[in-house]
Each structure stands twice: as C-alpha cells, then as structure tokens.
Amino acid sequence: MLNERSLAVHNDCEECPIRHRAVCARCETDELERLEEIKYYRKFEAGQTVIWSGDRMDFVGSVVSGIATLTQTMEDGRTQMVGLLLPSDFVGRPGRATAAYDVVATTDLVMCCFRRNPFEEMIAHTPHIAQRLLEMTLDELDAAREWMLVLGRKTAREKIASLLSIIARRDATLNMQGADGPRTFDLPLTREAMADYLGLTLETVSRQMSALKKDGVIHLEGKRHVTVPDMDRLMEEAGDDSDGGMLV
Amino acid sequence: MLNERSLAVHNDCEECPIRHRAVCARCETDELERLEEIKYYRKFEAGQTVIWSGDRMDFVGSVVSGIATLTQTMEDGRTQMVGLLLPSDFVGRPGRATAAYDVVATTDLVMCCFRRNPFEEMIAHTPHIAQRLLEMTLDELDAAREWMLVLGRKTAREKIASLLSIIARRDATLNMQGADGPRTFDLPLTREAMADYLGLTLETVSRQMSALKKDGVIHLEGKRHVTVPDMDRLMEEAGDDSDGGMLV
DNA sequence: CGCGTAATTGAGGGAATTCAAATAATGTGG
DNA sequence: CCACATTATTTGAATTCCCTCAATTACGCG
C-alpha cells in the first residue's frame, strides 16, 4: 500500500480538475493561496470507509475524483443511502465536529481536505466561499427533495429508471455527449448499493434491471455497462416529464 | 375577507416572534432596518396555495406563524411532501426566479416576505444573513436526509411513530414542556397530508393511528388531539435510538 | 481451475394498496 | 337549532407489489 504523502497527485489549485465546480469555485488567486495552506489530499481505495457516523471529524473537504456514498443505518442494520458524492461534491459540515453519516468510498477516491477550524475561519471572512457553499447546499437540498419523491411515491421499476437516468444525465454532462442519441456508461454502484439508494432489496433491483433489459429500455454488457438507446423512453419509465423536470 | 394591508400584525422586527430563529436571527439593528425596507407581510387562510410549482416567484420569506407544506406532484397526481414549514422556516431560493415546489398553507399563515432582488443584494453584502441562511439550509438538508431514511426503510407503523415524535418534540421545544412525562399536542395535518408526508395512503395512516392507539402508544381525543404517555415508547416504535439520535 | 463475491431467478408470504362502504365531524341554509 | 350536504376518517375485503428465503448462475481473481 502506498504512503499517503505520495498520493497528492497535484497540489496546485489552479490545475485542479474541480477548480470551477467545488467549494473554491468562486475564489480569487489570493483566496486560493490561503486555502492551499490548510489543504491536504487523502486517497482511499474502493470499499474503504472515509468516516463512520458519530466519529469525530476534524476536516471538511471535496471529492476530487471517484465516488463516495453517504449512508444512514438503523440499529437492526437497515441502511439508506442519503447522498451520492461525485467529484466536486462537499463532505462535512462547518460547525459540526461529529460525522452525521457513514461516508464510504465506492470507487478509488481522492479527496481534497481542509482542516475544519481554519476552514470555518475562512468561511467567516471569505464571502466567496460562503456563497458557493450556500449554493452547493441548496443544490443538494433540491436533490434530496427530488429523491424523497422517488423514495416515497415511485414503484420499483420507476425507481430504477430514475437512478439510471440521473447517472446517464450526469455522465453526459461530464463527458459532453450530445443531448440525444444513445448513451453509454458504467454503473458506479453494486446492486446492493442501488438498493440502499432506492429503498429496495437487491433482489428487486436485479429483477427490475432484468425487466428493463427485456423490454429494451436498456442494454447490458456484463453487469455494470449500460446503454440507453432512448433517453426519452427511460425518462418516461422514471415517471418524469419528458422535458426533464429540471430545476435549473 | 380582510384587506392584505390590514394584516400586518406587527411591523417592528425587534418585536417579531421569530426574530431570533429566522434568517434575520444574526442581524444587527442597522441590518434589520434595511430589511424592514424591503419586507412586507402576507397572510393566507388554511388551505390556500401560497405558490404553485413552476410559477414565477419574486419574493422569498419566512413563516411568521402557522404551518405550510412543500409538495411535489407527478403528472398522474401522486404527491410527496418534501418539507414542513414551521414558524421561522425560510421559503424560496435566492437566485431562482421560479418556484420548485407547491407551497400550501395548512393552517392560517402569516409570512414575512422580502422582494427577491433586493434580498439577493443584501445576501451578497450582509454576511450575517448569508451565514444564517447557510446554517438553516444545512439544517434542512439534515432533516431531508433523516426523512429519506424514514421514506426508504421504515414500516408504516414506524413512519407514523416517527412523524408523531417529530411533532411532539417540536411542540415541546415551542411550549417548553419538560423532557419527560406525557406530552399533548394537536396534529397540524390531515390524514391525507400525513400520508403525503410519509409516502403512504391515507387509509394506511388511519389504520396505523388506530393500531398505535389500541396498543396504548398514543391516546386520541377527537381526530387531531394526541397525547403521548411515554415518549421513549414512541421513539422505540419509530425505530430510533431512545437517546434521540439527535444531530445537534 | 477453483474459490469467493456479485448477481440472477424462483417460490411463497406479507405488508401496504386499492376499491368499497360505513361512520364521524363540519359546515350551510332554511 | 335542526335537516341536509360535504368532507374527513375509519374499517373491511381483496389484490398487488415487493420482500424473504433459497438455490442457481455468472463473474473476477488468486
């Protein structure tokens, strides 16, 4: 296993792949310089736990690359994913010393972390950071509320279609695919993680994936590689407006 | 029906009942004075719609008194409540001109509204407001995530118990009842609204209310007046830790 | 190639829904 | 103040969708 110090793939914020989407997006050069003083990189392997709910948390940070999940667990083991953390997403809450959720790396993960106390100092004195963090938090709140509709009111088939369409759309944004035509992507989640996201069992997820495949809504190569021949069709299956029902 | 102008029950922020909990909580006197220039009160009767999803929204604001709901609706009519707005809660999103959800007054409602553009100006130049709004948004995000666990993983009985315990706890905060001993409160929601909150049908809500009553977890006088003889018992029924599992 | 993990598929059961009807609460006009 | 209409709630019966338990198949890796 590699030493953590050697894992800082880049140190210069200006060249950071999430420079313009993360919490630092609005920062000027001098503000970035101050951030660089309190930042450090951490790398996790797929499956590793970043932090356990209830543990002391002395940092906040951004996902630089890879995917992590935010989950809540009941005493009897029932698990609900409450967030999917993608590159540029923010982890942790200023003003809170304890993690409220389990954070687990789903793929290999690189995080840009800031020591919590100095970061809170910076928030108080750097409006650019506070404003960006507010904007990101409002976006997350919208996403959470969108997900409440999925969890509370959609059928298993619609839930799967909803998840697939979210992943497909995000992937299109990242890889700048055209708006129409078939889309192809790799599922970053196991069937079990999908189930935890959707409030289903992994068996139901598997069955509905098979059903969507049988009905030609998706094609599967292997278990994880998905092709969506017709995004509108998938959106219909998700129970969404064909116009996307986008908030922004 | 009364004229809206006559409904401003109070104009002075210093005497406002939500002065220390709303978005203006951290404001100094001079900041309040500027807020007073762009604020106006609006009153709604129980059942009235404050704004429809998709409509243009030229204001943001705080609930001063009464209760409102935030709901999302699918084309076929399935409805999911995504927020319950209590006194001091914030409505609207800075930077967004269109309402993302339906907002409906559940009881008679008084709102303190700010014209959106001047308010956005103020956010940019008044850190006290931006910081408070960030804090409130983070709290709402936590509440939404807590609710995702309820929606995704809890049984109907647990869902009802969860809702009752939330309302009971909030009521205790407002009315400063002791932490232990029986608690009494009025349900501010119809069975249908409860169902929309919990992702259930109103029949299931009714059945589970009856079951909790039969089992002595709650007592009912009329349909809306609830007594909880033992809060710990209710929390157990909700599937929560008896220590409350509180985040803050 | 064999082992462990991930995923699929099947059968049966159960929790919540749907459809339907009865009852209680609330409001309205005479 | 009461008969009536309307809405809210409860309760029942049948159905359905998803879960649980169980067995099998595919995949990835030493």
Side-chain angles (χ1 to χ4, degrees):
Chain A
M1 189 177 303
L2 295 170
N3 178 311
E4 271 210 15
R5 222 178 322 269
S6 69
L7 300 170
V9 280
H10 46 71
N11 286 305
D12 186 356
C13 287
E14 297 287 0
E15 291 170 17
C16 179
I18 58 168
R19 164 75 179 90
H20 298 290
R21 294 195 294 143
V23 71
C24 52
R26 292 244 221 320
C27 287
E28 309 288 353
T29 307
D30 61 322
E31 292 165 342
L32 280 187
E33 278 167 12
R34 260 177 295 154
L35 272 181
E36 290 196 343
E37 287 169 20
I38 63 170
K39 93 179 186 194
Y40 56 98
Y41 291 96
R42 288 182 71 184
K43 193 168 180 177
F44 300 89
E45 291 173 19
Q48 264 193 299
T49 295
V50 175
I51 194 154
W52 294 100
S53 171
D55 280 4
R56 181 167 182 82
M57 191 166 173
D58 290 314
F59 66 96
V60 297
S62 302
V63 174
V64 176
S65 65
I67 292 175
T69 62
L70 231 54
T71 58
Q72 261 187 315
T73 305
M74 296 172 67
E75 299 103 284
D76 61 8
R78 280 177 284 177
T79 301
Q80 176 65 51
M81 197 183 299
V82 295
L84 190 59
L85 299 169
L86 307 172
S88 82
D89 281 341
F90 189 78
V91 181
R93 173 170 174 162
R96 178 182 290 161
T98 304
Y101 312 100
D102 296 331
V103 181
V104 178
T106 291
T107 64
D108 287 351
L109 182 75
V110 177
M111 290 195 52
C112 171
C113 300
F114 307 105
R115 288 181 291 124
R116 195 164 57 80
N117 284 333
F119 186 81
E120 286 171 10
E121 271 295 305
M122 275 204 75
I123 283 188
H125 302 296
T126 315
H128 282 159
I129 296 180
Q131 284 162 17
R132 177 64 186 143
L133 188 55
L134 173 59
E135 190 175 46
M136 292 174 73
T137 307
L138 287 165
D139 285 341
E140 275 187 271
L141 183 58
D142 278 331
R145 285 173 168 168
E146 183 88 21
W147 212 251
M148 288 173 73
L149 177 65
V150 173
L151 289 172
R153 291 304 186 191
K154 290 194 177 180
T155 65
R157 184 181 174 102
E158 288 170 335
K159 285 180 175 180
I160 299 288
S162 297
L163 178 57
L164 292 176
S165 82
I166 284 178
I167 295 174
R169 259 183 289 169
R170 169 177 53 73
D171 224 68
T173 313
L174 275 170
N175 304 334
M176 309 210 262
Q177 302 190 7
D180 46 316
R183 295 205 190 152
T184 293
F185 56 91
D186 283 306
L187 272 177
L189 303 172
T190 65
R191 297 290 185 264
E192 187 178 21
M194 292 173 70
D196 284 342
Y197 206 149
L198 297 166
L200 298 170
T201 59
L202 68 90
E203 294 95 330
T204 298
V205 170
S206 182
R207 271 184 253 276
Q208 297 298 337
M209 288 288 288
S210 299
L212 289 175
K213 178 184 173 186
K214 183 168 72 65
D215 297 344
V217 181
I218 58 173
H219 298 282
L220 286 176
E221 294 157 56
K223 308 303 179 189
R224 297 291 195 87
H225 197 72
V226 181
T227 300
V228 179
D230 179 358
M231 268 307 281
D232 287 342
R233 173 80 195 283
L234 183 63
M235 304 278 279
E236 265 174 49
E237 292 285 357
D240 293 342
D241 291 298
S242 54
D243 62 45
M246 294 269 62
L247 289 166
V248 179
Chain B
M1 190 179 298
L2 294 171
N3 178 311
E4 269 209 17
R5 221 178 324 269
S6 69
L7 299 171
V9 279
H10 46 72
N11 286 304
D12 187 357
C13 288
E14 296 288 1
E15 291 170 18
C16 180
I18 57 168
R19 164 74 178 93
H20 298 289
R21 293 195 295 143
V23 71
C24 51
R26 293 241 227 305
C27 288
E28 309 288 352
T29 307
D30 60 322
E31 293 164 342
L32 280 186
E33 278 166 13
R34 262 179 293 155
L35 273 181
E36 290 196 341
E37 287 168 20
I38 62 169
K39 94 180 185 193
Y40 55 99
Y41 290 95
R42 289 182 71 184
K43 193 168 178 177
F44 300 89
E45 291 173 19
Q48 265 193 300
T49 296
V50 175
I51 195 155
W52 295 100
S53 171
D55 279 3
R56 182 168 181 80
M57 192 166 173
D58 290 314
F59 66 95
V60 296
S62 302
V63 174
V64 176
S65 65
I67 291 175
T69 61
L70 233 54
T71 58
Q72 261 187 316
T73 306
M74 296 172 68
E75 299 104 282
D76 62 6
R78 279 176 284 176
T79 300
Q80 176 65 52
M81 198 182 297
V82 296
L84 190 57
L85 299 170
L86 308 173
S88 83
D89 281 341
F90 189 78
V91 182
R93 173 169 171 162
R96 177 182 289 161
T98 304
Y101 312 100
D102 296 330
V103 182
V104 177
T106 291
T107 64
D108 287 351
L109 182 75
V110 177
M111 290 195 53
C112 172
C113 300
F114 307 105
R115 287 183 290 123
R116 194 164 56 81
N117 284 333
F119 185 80
E120 287 171 9
E121 271 296 304
M122 275 203 74
I123 283 188
H125 301 297
T126 315
H128 283 157
I129 296 180
Q131 283 162 15
R132 177 64 186 144
L133 189 55
L134 174 59
E135 189 175 47
M136 292 175 72
T137 306
L138 287 165
D139 285 341
E140 277 188 88
L141 183 57
D142 278 331
R145 286 172 166 167
E146 183 87 22
W147 213 250
M148 288 174 72
L149 176 66
V150 173
L151 289 172
R153 292 303 185 191
K154 291 195 177 180
T155 65
R157 186 181 173 101
E158 289 170 335
K159 285 180 175 181
I160 300 288
S162 297
L163 178 57
L164 292 175
S165 82
I166 283 177
I167 295 174
R169 259 182 289 169
R170 168 178 53 74
D171 224 68
T173 314
L174 275 169
N175 304 335
M176 308 209 262
Q177 301 189 7
D180 46 316
R183 293 203 190 155
T184 294
F185 56 91
D186 283 306
L187 272 176
L189 302 172
T190 65
R191 297 290 186 264
E192 188 178 20
M194 293 173 69
D196 285 342
Y197 207 150
L198 298 167
L200 298 170
T201 59
L202 67 92
E203 293 95 329
T204 300
V205 170
S206 181
R207 271 185 254 275
Q208 297 299 336
M209 288 288 289
S210 299
L212 289 174
K213 177 184 172 186
K214 182 168 71 66
D215 296 344
V217 181
I218 58 173
H219 298 280
L220 287 176
E221 295 157 54
K223 307 304 177 187
R224 299 289 194 86
H225 197 73
V226 181
T227 301
V228 179
D230 179 357
M231 270 305 283
D232 287 342
R233 173 79 195 283
L234 184 63
M235 303 279 279
E236 266 175 48
E237 292 286 356
D240 293 341
D241 290 298
S242 54
D243 62 44
M246 294 270 62
L247 289 165
V248 177

